[in-house]
Amino acid sequence: MRARQPDIEGYVKRDGVRIGYEVFGDRAAPAVVLLPAWSIVDSRHWKLQVPYLARHFRVVTFDPAGNGRSDRPTDPTAYGDEAQLDYLAAVLDATGADRAVVAGVSRGGWRSLVAAARLPERVLGAVAIAPVGPFLGSLPPHRQGQDFDAVRDSYAGWQRFNRHSWLADLPGFAEFFFTEVISEPHSSKQIEDAIGWARGTTPESLIAAELADLCVRDEGETEALLRTIDRPMLVIRGTGDRCRSQREMARAAELSGARDVVLDGAGHLPHNREPVVVNRLLREFVERVAGTPAKPVRWTRPLDRPRRVLYLSSPLGLGHVERDAAIVDALRRRRPGVQVDWLAQHPVTEVLERRGERVHPASAHLATESAHIESEAGEHDLHAFQAIRRMDEILVANFMVFADLVERENYDLWVGDEAWELDYFLHENPELKRSAYAWLTDFVGWLPMGSTDEPLTADYNAEMVEQIARFPRLRDRAVFVGNPGDLVDDPLGPGLPTVREWTTANFDFSGYVCDFAPVDDDERARLRAELGWGADEQVCVVTVGGSGVGGDLLHRVVDAFPAARRAVPGLRLVVVAGPRLDPAAIPARDGLEVHGYVHRLHRVLAACDLAVTHGGLTTTMTLTAHRRPFLYVPLRNHFEQNRHVRHRLDAYRAGRCVDYGQTDPDSLAALIAAEIARPVDYRPVETDGAERAAALLAELF
């Protein structure tokens, strides 16, 4: 799912070639055109820049000839420098942009330089990332043996940069090429994306692009062209670039009069691998070139500032915000007068607004994570690790919202409860830390749900271990919402410690956090009367959390209700659809009541005789704390529900785990009849978790 959809989509046509473009953002804002790179990728290679830049500028992207929504001509003239200038001018005309800042990567970086030189009346300034500089330097040594036309029995390494190799095995070339040019460690997702974009082209298109004419014929002409540029220029290059030589890129910067920004260790596509750094450089450049008025600044003497907390609570389910609200209440008791701003999105905002909390206005810019997770789900199936991995575009966009906010406003403490974007990109950009920072989570470690996951989860875990080892004080406090015994003892990966070993060494433990006190029998009876349930009536509640992912299970329980009512005469079924499922989609039946979002749902769960839920931690632990029998059905392929949560519930001796395959009407009815009102022998759930977590946070003021 994209972090931001285009506001306008269209096409231009030049010399019979159709070029697809997209426009994002306010028409009145300064225009930024993100140019195509080589035809092996489409304009989606800018996906980590578009949402951020479009909050500040009008952003235009267009696909190259040979990929994406554009045509795939086989005539080299359709790919040459002159054609690229024509495409740019046509897109500017079609989008109503008289003048724009242009930016490009690799060959697109060269074309941004050419545009600044040849179209100065249309180009306000240009950014060239890892630019090709024709004739300005030799290829890196490992590339100098390549021969585009050579016929070989087989092709290895950079010999694959060859027309015959592409015709025989373009996917094999793409896998080699992107592994080379995205050379930074822990880059599996970026490489995977790029290989996917390469599927949009053809060998014939790529060969034609390689044979296309440049607008210069030798070093002298290149130098002369670049020296004519009188626009503001920025070159961004990485010292780990394995595609272009440092001399070539440095000379392009020098000759064009560009500011030369060198990213130590970065590869050929830093906008993909180091998006935060590149995004900030792009924004600063465009604001300077476009003459964007400076925003007013208000500064308060530090000793006159109230204590302020910025709290980021994960929207993936409502459990995070419920415990976070309890922690904030306890924190206010310890630090009276503390001000808490929430950077949050739906459905978290619904809970916060009911509590009268302040949701920061910047929250309106956050891209939806819940909708992405729902888009990744099948029938009671969610490969949670891959879903979060594929959420990278949204996570970058949301981190940039946070980064802009804390650049403008001062806070004493940032708290991230499974705010993955905050923790990851702070470790990737530790120089941005300007406040005390606390990280909360109720699980540690990405765990594989099959052999194909194993190398990926191990790589993600290895990166996490390396980040914490390199920057141990970036997290001023890391809090595990639970106890050491709640941790699985699985290894994080080959050569890595176990989850329990590593977490025990790097986290404090708050115990489980509830925002309620467990009820006794008298309170349960009072709640039942308040809810309109008879003292002897048997009530089953089905709830599937704050997202729509559990909707299939909810409907299965409803379908099983007639059989369950035959097995348990007089049974009442209370369906809680939550904030992201439509209650009207549940068919009416005698004895069945349907609710949408229920504030303080724990009271309903405390009063029931049985609950059916998915494998989410908050709902299952709420039922455990209230000592209610329950059936829980983990989402298939959801590593957290199947491994982390199930381990914790087993430690509490709580609930009965049911495979989704056992949820046909007859099986569910039998399970409901067997479990309803069953006596339980759960381990007690601690009641001081919020106070313990708040004490750990309060020490950071």
Side-chain angles (χ1 to χ4, degrees), residues 355-369:
R355 290 176 52 90
E357 297 283 349
R358 182 179 187 269
V359 177
H360 197 286
S363 300
H365 298 303
L366 295 172
T368 175
E369 296 178 22

Side-chain angles (χ1 to χ4, degrees), residues 46-351:
W46 290 110
K47 70 173 188 172
L48 303 184
Q49 283 67 56
V50 167
Y52 176 60
L53 295 177
R55 286 199 288 112
H56 302 282
F57 315 111
R58 191 176 194 224
V59 177
V60 179
T61 66
F62 61 98
D63 289 323
N67 207 323
R69 295 167 61 244
S70 296
D71 288 343
R72 285 146 182 76
T74 57
D75 181 351
T77 60
Y79 297 89
D81 286 349
E82 299 298 337
Q84 301 295 336
L85 287 175
D86 287 346
Y87 300 148
L88 171 60
V91 169
L92 288 171
D93 291 341
T95 58
D98 292 333
R99 306 181 77 194
V101 175
V102 298
V105 176
S106 190
R107 298 188 188 204
W110 164 247
R111 268 104 192 213
S112 73
L113 298 170
V114 173
R118 297 278 299 276
L119 298 175
E121 72 284 359
R122 307 297 300 267
V123 175
L124 289 168
V127 181
I129 302 172
V132 171
F135 312 111
L136 294 182
S138 301
L139 290 172
H142 54 273
R143 290 195 62 181
Q144 290 179 11
Q146 71 185 50
D147 184 332
F148 186 66
D149 295 307
V151 178
R152 305 177 190 271
D153 293 334
S154 62
Y155 301 86
W158 281 95
Q159 293 174 355
R160 288 176 175 268
F161 200 97
N162 173 285
R163 67 160 77 214
H164 308 292
S165 171
W166 296 351
L167 288 166
D169 184 15
L170 184 57
F173 167 74
E175 183 174 353
F176 159 76
F177 178 71
F178 288 115
T179 302
E180 281 284 290
V181 301
I182 307 176
S183 54
E184 299 90 334
H186 310 298
S187 298
S188 62
K189 181 58 169 64
Q190 293 81 7
I191 293 170
E192 183 180 299
D193 281 345
I195 291 171
W197 298 325
R199 297 190 189 105
T201 192
T202 66
E204 294 78 11
S205 297
L206 215 56
I207 291 167
E210 185 62 19
L211 297 176
D213 286 336
L214 298 166
C215 63
V216 293
R217 292 169 294 181
D218 55 35
E219 182 178 3
E221 290 191 2
T222 301
E223 290 184 356
L225 177 81
L226 296 182
R227 290 186 194 279
T228 66
I229 295 174
D230 63 355
R231 307 286 87 186
M233 303 295 294
L234 172 65
V235 166
I236 303 170
R237 57 190 173 97
T239 61
D241 195 319
R242 293 183 54 77
C243 188
R244 312 309 306 183
S245 73
Q246 294 300 310
R247 182 180 187 278
E248 172 187 16
M249 295 185 288
R251 287 278 288 152
E254 176 190 355
L255 292 164
S256 64
R259 179 191 178 199
D260 189 11
V261 175
V262 179
L263 307 181
D264 277 335
H268 188 60
L269 302 180
H271 67 306
N272 287 165
R273 191 58 184 83
E274 308 297 341
V276 174
V277 173
V278 173
N279 286 354
R280 289 168 65 85
L281 287 168
L282 288 171
R283 179 191 168 190
E284 291 165 5
F285 179 80
V286 177
E287 286 181 337
R288 178 170 63 84
V289 170
T292 303
K295 295 179 180 178
V297 175
R298 187 185 186 98
W299 182 85
T300 304
R301 291 183 67 254
L303 292 179
D304 293 339
R305 296 172 189 166
R307 289 191 176 98
R308 299 181 72 204
V309 176
L310 182 63
Y311 214 120
L312 284 72
S313 184
S314 171
L316 304 183
L318 292 177
H320 303 93
V321 68
E322 290 170 357
R323 72 181 178 217
D324 293 333
I327 292 169
V328 165
D329 286 345
L331 184 61
R332 286 173 173 145
R333 290 190 290 270
R334 289 179 175 272
R335 294 288 185 270
V338 67
Q339 297 180 7
V340 179
D341 288 350
W342 298 79
L343 189 60
Q345 55 189 276
H346 183 79
V348 169
T349 49
E350 187 164 347
V351 177

Side-chain angles (χ1 to χ4, degrees), residues 419-600:
W420 303 107
E421 69 280 19
L422 174 60
D423 195 67
Y424 179 78
F425 288 108
L426 277 181
H427 281 92
E428 289 283 280
N429 302 270
E431 65 277 4
L432 298 183
K433 183 177 188 286
R434 52 191 297 170
S435 171
Y437 165 54
W439 168 250
L440 279 71
T441 186
D442 55 44
F443 79 91
V444 175
W446 309 100
L447 300 180
M449 292 303 293
S451 59
T452 57
D453 283 351
E454 289 175 0
L456 293 175
T457 55
D459 184 60
Y460 273 58
N461 290 333
E463 184 175 30
M464 172 185 69
V465 170
E466 291 169 18
Q467 287 177 333
I468 302 304
R470 176 63 183 85
F471 301 106
R473 293 177 182 82
L474 194 144
R475 293 175 177 173
D476 296 285
R477 188 75 80 226
V479 181
F480 183 79
V481 183
N483 304 296
D486 298 331
L487 294 161
V488 299
D489 209 24
D490 298 49
L492 289 165
L496 297 173
T498 68
V499 170
R500 186 176 300 169
E501 176 187 0
W502 187 81
T503 307
T504 303
N506 289 281
F507 280 74
D508 294 300
F509 294 83
S510 68
Y512 190 71
V513 175
C514 296
D515 66 338
F516 56 83
V519 303
D520 57 20
D521 289 343
D522 290 341
E523 176 66 9
R524 183 171 292 112
R526 189 191 68 76
L527 284 173
R528 289 175 67 89
E530 181 182 318
L531 292 166
W533 302 349
D536 297 325
E537 186 178 18
Q538 291 187 299
V539 180
C540 176
V541 173
V542 55
T543 179
V544 291
S547 75
V549 174
D552 293 299
L553 174 63
L554 187 147
H555 283 281
R556 283 206 169 196
V557 178
V558 171
D559 290 343
F561 179 53
R565 209 173 197 213
R566 289 192 294 271
V568 184
L571 178 69
R572 181 198 293 249
L573 182 65
V574 177
V575 174
V576 179
R580 295 189 65 85
L581 293 172
D582 182 8
I586 308 297
R589 287 196 172 99
D590 188 34
L592 183 150
E593 61 183 76
V594 181
H595 304 273
Y597 169 73
V598 175
H599 191 54
R600 297 189 66 77

